[in-house]
Amino acid sequence: MHAHLERVGRFDPARRRARMRAAFDPAAFRLIESGGHVRGCVAVVDHADHREIHSFYLEPEAQGRGLGRAVLDAILAEHPGRATRLEVLKGSSAARFYERAGFHLTGEAEFDLLYERPGLGATPPGS
């Protein structure tokens, strides 16, 4: 994430730590393990009308090997009828990852793209 934040002029270690602390909810965070090692983390927060995924990080060595997609698919399978939302830093290759998984761009913020994947049986945003 460091390199992506630097690219958009937003890397500030103190700000990053403060944002992570503010978003940290032990009940929402899950460790991602593979081969007996922790490879990353993800947070899943349930809201009244949707689920939110944030702080989805994998070690660079674990990326591009299907682990992220397996984790995402497992999260989506937990509540297939509910919409799932997330934000992606503009210019990040993660946007393509989420688009391939059925997420649709629903909006834009100053530094982020807003995505949603409707629950099964729902109509995609903008359709």
Side-chain angles (χ1 to χ4, degrees):
M1 194 66 190
H2 183 143
H4 293 295
L5 290 169
E6 278 187 336
R7 179 180 42 74
V8 296
R10 295 280 293 166
F11 184 72
D12 172 347
R15 181 178 181 278
R16 188 76 213 133
R17 276 190 296 278
R19 286 197 64 178
M20 288 299 289
R21 283 188 184 117
F24 184 72
D25 174 1
F29 271 84
R30 306 169 185 193
L31 294 178
I32 299 169
E33 297 182 39
S34 176
H37 297 88
V38 173
R39 302 293 183 193
C41 65
V42 62
V44 182
V45 180
D46 287 309
H47 297 277
D49 64 340
H50 70 281
R51 301 183 93 203
E52 173 190 1
I53 296 175
H54 70 84
S55 305
F56 192 173
Y57 302 114
L58 285 179
E59 292 178 337
E61 305 80 40
Q63 295 174 10
R65 299 170 186 251
L67 178 59
R69 184 57 192 257
V71 169
L72 181 60
D73 286 348
I75 291 168
L76 296 172
E78 292 171 355
H79 297 283
R82 295 193 70 199
T84 302
R85 298 178 185 162
L86 51 84
E87 296 179 4
V88 177
L89 187 66
K90 286 181 180 176
S92 171
S93 60
R96 288 186 306 279
F97 169 77
Y98 291 115
E99 289 167 0
R100 286 191 307 268
F103 284 80
H104 302 276
L105 183 66
T106 59
E108 223 174 290
E110 185 177 4
F111 295 99
D112 298 309
L113 300 173
L114 312 177
Y115 281 90
E116 181 173 321
R117 183 177 187 270
L120 291 180
T123 303
S127 293

